[in-house]
Amino acid sequence: KQEVTQIPAALSVPEGENLVLNCSFTDSAIYNLQWFRQDPGKGLTSLLLIQSSQREQTSGRLNASLDKSSGRSTLYIAASQPGDSATYLCAVMDSSYKLIFGSGTRLLVRP
Amino acid sequence: DADVTQTPRNRITKTGKRIMLECSQTKGHDRMYWYRQDPGLGLRLIYYSFDVKDINKGEISDGYSVSRQAQAKFSLSLESAIPNQTALYFCATSDSTSGIIDEQFFGPGTRLTVL
């Protein structure tokens, strides 16, 4: 059974820092991996999707990497801003096209 | 206008009541999903539908049922609500024919409280 773990569960950093969020999964048979952002009480916003054949994706200050063989992904946020404060969720699509989510990393960027 | 809408956005009900949550999408996607999220946890899949005639149970389907009334509409029902069904419920859609394998797009969520 696929399991997705995100470390750390919570992170507090001063504005301007570069930071890395980690995601690990137990079964390397995945179609893709998605990173989402969730603001309190709100829905999910898709940030980046990496297909299983890709190694990384970039969007603005965000960079996500995927190492399928080791079951790991990282989300790198450059020059963090208070507006980046949110919960970041990692999800993998398994071999039956279902998304399996981690429990998220709650990020606070202090001004 | 939002591509994936959910109604109601908030609902408070009592134990034993029947509740229906509705999801509509204007994205033209064939696949639709229902998830629940409990505090501090990720999302868990309740039911999913790959087309109008296809319904599948997810990880936590007990106590729930669904109906795919049309390609654009997917409803989730709680036949007899219980307090541990208090959660945030999300609908999502994806397009199996797109070049990107099943990127999912989420609605804004329904906050359900069962007293």
Side-chain angles (χ1 to χ4, degrees):
Chain A
K1 179 185 174 185
Q2 177 75 267
E3 293 183 359
V4 180
T5 303
Q6 290 187 246
I7 295 173
L11 183 62
S12 178
V13 300
E15 182 177 4
E17 272 204 7
N18 302 324
L19 58 98
V20 175
L21 307 182
N22 296 292
C23 173
S24 61
F25 48 95
T26 55
D27 187 346
S28 62
I30 64 170
Y31 281 114
N32 63 49
L33 183 145
Q34 273 186 269
W35 282 95
F36 294 90
R37 170 186 172 136
Q38 184 177 25
D39 293 284
K42 300 286 182 65
L44 277 67
T45 301
S46 179
L47 297 173
L48 291 164
L49 181 148
I50 311 176
Q51 296 188 54
S52 62
S53 58
Q54 298 175 323
R55 298 284 294 187
E56 66 176 343
Q57 284 285 341
T58 297
S59 176
R61 294 182 293 108
L62 305 180
N63 175 275
S65 68
L66 174 63
D67 184 341
K68 210 171 67 162
S69 62
S70 67
R72 294 181 181 180
S73 175
T74 61
L75 179 66
Y76 175 82
I77 302 177
S80 59
Q81 303 170 357
D84 294 330
S85 298
T87 296
Y88 290 80
L89 294 165
C90 165
V92 299
M93 179 164 287
D94 69 10
S95 55
S96 56
Y97 298 102
K98 297 195 294 290
L99 268 185
I100 311 298
F101 282 82
S103 54
T105 293
R106 196 167 59 254
L107 174 65
L108 175 65
V109 181
R110 308 185 304 271
Chain B
D1 287 340
D3 295 319
V4 184
T5 58
Q6 293 184 233
T7 56
R9 294 294 313 279
N10 288 282
R11 181 71 184 269
I12 299 174
T13 191
K14 294 182 178 179
T15 297
K17 294 291 188 181
R18 184 178 188 275
I19 296 295
M20 179 180 286
L21 309 182
E22 298 185 341
C23 177
S24 296
Q25 52 113 349
T26 58
K27 300 180 76 68
H29 289 175
D30 54 338
R31 297 181 172 182
M32 298 187 73
Y33 310 80
W34 275 105
Y35 294 89
R36 70 176 273 176
Q37 184 179 34
D38 295 282
L41 298 179
L43 280 68
R44 291 182 291 168
L45 184 63
I46 305 172
Y47 270 96
Y48 60 105
S49 170
F50 282 176
D51 64 42
V52 174
K53 297 179 181 179
D54 176 75
I55 300 289
N56 303 283
K57 292 183 177 180
E59 181 186 358
I60 52 165
S61 59
D62 287 349
Y64 301 94
S65 62
V66 291
S67 173
R68 185 84 183 264
Q69 301 95 322
Q71 186 182 39
K73 295 185 182 296
F74 193 35
S75 299
L76 176 72
S77 293
L78 288 67
E79 296 301 325
S80 179
I82 56 177
N84 76 1
Q85 292 178 313
T86 293
L88 192 54
Y89 289 84
F90 289 103
C91 173
T93 73
S94 68
D95 179 6
S96 67
T97 65
S98 72
I100 298 175
I101 297 176
D102 271 340
E103 182 176 9
Q104 292 192 14
F105 299 87
F106 284 77
T110 294
R111 185 169 297 281
L112 176 66
T113 302
V114 183
L115 301 176

